[in-house]
Structures are given as C-alpha cells and as structure tokens.
Amino acid sequence: RVGLCVLCGLPAAGKSTLARALRRRLPQRPGWACALLDYDELIPPEAFGPPEPGVGPAEPSPLLPRWKRSRRELLQCLERFLRAVVTGGPLSAPATATQPAWERFLACCHGQGLLSSAESDAAAGRSWTHAATSRPLYLILDDNFYYQSMRYEVYQLARKYSLSFCQLFLECPLECCLQRNRLRSHPLPDQTICLMARRIEMPDLKKNAWEQNSLILKSFDCTSEDNEQIISLLAAALENPVKQNEENTEQKEADRAICAASTVHQADQTCRRIISQTMKDAKDKNIPSSEMKSLAEELNKLKAEFLEDLRQGNELKNQICIQNQHSDPATSVISSFQHEATNVVNKYILK
C-alpha cells in the first residue's frame, strides 16, 4: 500500500519541521515506511530565476516558466516511481523529463532508502530496498502547494494508481512566517510571501470531495511528533485508497468553473485588444472626437454582454457563432465580437 501526503502552506509555516518529524515518527509507531520528497531540493533554485535569454526548440515547453516546467518534470518522475512500485516493473526515466531532473529524483529515492545503493546509476532495472516493499509506504510531499490545482495534480496520480491521498495544511499568521523567514540562511523576499498569502487556497472540505482527507492545522500544533490527529488521518487514508473510476460530480463542477474563468479571462483580454485597435482605426477614419466617447462606451457595453454570455454558457445568437460552432467558446466569442465591433464602428463612419 502506498500513500501520498501533501504538506501545504506558506513558506516558513513549519512544513519542513513537520515533514522531518513524520519521517522519524511513522516508521516507529505505525510501522510504515516513509520517504520525504522535498521540493526545495528537487527543484533547482535557478528555476525561479529570470527567464533564459534564448530558449531553444529542444526545450519541452518554451512558453512555460522554468519553475512550472520543473514542477511538471518532478510530477512525471513521481509518476514513473509510483507506476514501478505498483506494477513491480522497471523504474525508467520519463521521456519528457530532463536528465538532471531524473537524476535529482533518483538521488532523493536513494537518500530516503527506497533504492539500493547498487542502483545509483542510470540502468533501467532497479532494485527496491526491503523498506520500500515490505510494509505500507507513505510519501510526504513537502512544498507550498498554494494553489488547489497543484494539489489536485497529486490527487490525480493517487486516483490513477489507486493510492491513498491526504493533505496537511499548516495555517500560520503571515507576520509569523515573515519573521521566521528572515531568520533563514537564504530568506525569500517579503513580497514573495505576501503575494503567496493573497493567492493561497486552503483545502475546501465542503466543496471538494477529493479534499475530504485533509487537516487544517495551526503551525504551533504540529511540533509534536505524537500528534494523534495526524496519525489517524494518515491511517484512515491508507485504509481507503482513491478508486480509479471514482466519479466526482462536485470536482467536475469545480473543474468546469476553473476552465470557464480561464476562458472568460482569455476572451476579455482579446476583446480589449480588439477595442483598442478599433478605436485607433476609428480615429484614423476621422470620426469626430465628440463621438469617440460614445463609440468607446458602446464597444465596452458590447464586450460586457458577450463575456456575460460566455460566462453563463448561453447560446450566442450571432450567425458567426453558428458558423464557428465547432470551435472553442472563447474563439467563437472573439470572432463574434470582432464582427459586431466592426458593425458598430461602421455606423459611426456612415453617419
């Protein structure tokens, strides 16, 4: 049996302290094997630096920031590990992850006692240690995981391989995190932590069924290694692994809401650019300045109507949308808006 335990919270909230405590505690009392995946060690510091000066075509996804690519690679390495443990097959590198990312992951597995010392090379066939296969294994993922979507990616792995999944969210006052962070040898900028505090998404146990196995803990409650509440959560999750074909209507609705918000944002940005260009064209065609304000108001009102249609999922009555019914909603809205904006500006031109 394998469990994935996600630690999340602001930097300096106490996650690493709790992770190390669990690493010592779990093999002793419950008798589980335990390994710690520290994202600070598995993702290189340079991934959070400025963008590369010239990203070549060999990169996996030049449009993604390096830190996002590094997280994706780490998730791919973790999946290869889980697949090998569950199926008993060979442990081999994912095709889309870089060699340094895979080597860092292997070094972590070796350091955590999951791979035998003879398997530190890059050979395809790998040997698990007795600790990794003889008893239940918990993988503790230590990271901020401040977006719900970051944690949901780990949950999807648990569902794919019928593993256990749980979350420990450490709630710590922002000022306390800032003070602790300043005492570190390599502190983060205050503004980074403040920005994360504004964006962090706590587990929503009422809304998301997949977050039911979660604890929201005050950081000062997590210093004891004998926290029965945490052990009980881990045990309950281990006894109830996620089902592969588990239907989750609530999460589907949440996923649709996230997707819809992204689509509306994309359409809004594009419509703004269309309005800007349309106003420039109108000025070039000598529309009187006295009418430019009315034109702008009409275009913005039109944009609001189209975005509301998109947000509500209403049928767009425009013929252009009917022609584009096989395209995605944002593309249809943008095409329709472009058409209507042209009609609006033509009214002013023909006056």
Side-chain angles (χ1 to χ4, degrees):
R1 292 179 294 173
V2 179
L4 300 175
C5 177
V6 172
L7 296 187
C8 40
L10 292 176
K15 299 183 300 299
S16 296
T17 300
L18 174 60
R20 290 190 295 268
L22 291 174
R23 177 78 172 86
R24 294 190 300 268
R25 178 73 175 83
L26 297 186
Q28 295 174 2
R29 184 182 164 192
W32 304 327
C34 181
L36 173 59
L37 302 184
D38 187 339
Y39 274 52
D40 286 342
E41 295 180 2
L42 291 166
I43 297 178
E46 56 267 23
F48 300 93
E52 301 109 321
V55 179
E59 291 292 340
S61 181
L63 298 179
L64 285 178
R66 282 188 292 177
W67 68 271
K68 285 190 177 182
R69 298 207 307 269
S70 295
R71 291 185 69 91
R72 178 175 293 180
E73 288 177 344
L74 177 51
L75 204 65
Q76 292 165 347
C77 292
L78 175 59
E79 178 169 9
R80 282 303 178 103
F81 172 88
L82 295 173
R83 182 189 301 175
V85 170
V86 170
T87 65
L91 179 59
S92 57
T96 51
T98 62
Q99 187 64 23
W102 181 239
E103 289 175 354
R104 283 192 299 270
F105 185 81
L106 290 181
C108 176
C109 291
H110 173 60
Q112 295 290 316
L114 300 177
L115 291 177
S116 64
S117 57
E119 299 300 330
S120 59
D121 61 315
R126 300 187 181 279
S127 175
W128 305 104
T129 61
H130 183 67
T133 58
S134 63
R135 48 188 173 157
L137 168 65
Y138 250 114
L139 298 179
I140 310 294
L141 279 61
D142 179 9
D143 186 43
N144 301 308
F145 287 109
Y146 58 97
Y147 283 141
Q148 179 192 99
S149 58
M150 295 175 173
R151 307 192 295 267
Y152 188 60
E153 289 177 333
V154 180
Y155 170 80
Q156 287 176 309
L157 282 183
R159 183 173 60 186
K160 183 174 181 179
Y161 296 101
S162 296
L163 310 177
S164 303
F165 175 84
C166 61
Q167 299 179 136
L168 299 175
F169 184 95
L170 271 69
E171 189 176 24
C172 184
L174 173 60
E175 190 54 44
C176 180
C177 291
L178 292 173
Q179 291 175 359
R180 291 177 181 176
N181 173 68
R182 292 167 191 151
L183 298 175
R184 290 178 165 180
S185 56
H186 298 91
L188 292 172
D190 282 4
Q191 57 267 32
T192 299
I193 299 179
C194 290
L195 178 62
M196 197 175 294
R198 292 196 295 270
R199 294 181 175 178
I200 197 164
E201 298 171 346
M202 296 176 63
D204 192 334
L205 281 63
K206 294 182 179 178
K207 182 178 179 181
N208 300 321
W210 64 272
E211 293 192 292
Q212 291 305 303
N213 286 336
S214 301
L215 281 178
I216 298 175
L217 304 161
K218 304 295 183 182
S219 63
F220 53 79
D221 290 335
C222 301
T223 54
S224 172
E225 295 182 27
D226 194 28
N227 193 313
E228 297 298 332
Q229 194 177 16
I230 295 176
I231 299 298
S232 296
L233 173 75
L234 297 177
L238 201 60
E239 293 301 322
N240 297 279
V242 183
K243 296 177 182 178
Q244 285 187 349
N245 297 323
E246 189 174 72
E247 288 296 327
N248 189 342
T249 304
E250 291 178 350
Q251 186 54 42
K252 286 182 179 179
E253 290 300 322
D255 290 343
R256 276 195 285 268
I258 293 171
C259 181
S262 175
T263 300
V264 171
H265 177 73
Q266 173 192 344
D268 179 53
Q269 295 299 310
T270 305
C271 288
R272 287 174 186 270
R273 290 193 292 270
I274 291 173
I275 290 177
S276 177
Q277 184 60 47
T278 301
M279 293 298 293
K280 182 178 181 300
D281 293 343
K283 186 176 181 180
D284 292 343
K285 292 178 180 178
N286 299 319
I287 291 180
S289 56
S290 59
E291 296 185 1
M292 291 291 284
K293 182 178 179 181
S294 298
L295 174 59
E297 289 175 351
E298 193 167 346
L299 289 174
N300 280 302
K301 181 180 178 182
L302 183 67
K303 173 176 73 75
E305 292 172 354
F306 271 87
L307 293 180
E308 185 59 26
D309 274 339
L310 180 60
R311 191 177 290 110
Q312 298 296 334
N314 295 338
E315 289 291 332
L316 298 177
K317 302 171 185 179
N318 190 298
Q319 181 62 32
I320 299 296
C321 280
I322 297 174
Q323 294 171 355
N324 292 335
Q325 59 185 331
H326 298 299
S327 61
D328 65 274
T331 301
S332 296
V333 166
I334 292 164
S335 176
S336 302
F337 180 77
Q338 178 79 69
H339 179 79
E340 290 295 335
T342 301
N343 290 339
V344 169
V345 79
N346 282 342
K347 290 191 303 183
Y348 285 81
I349 294 172
L350 297 174
K351 276 186 178 181

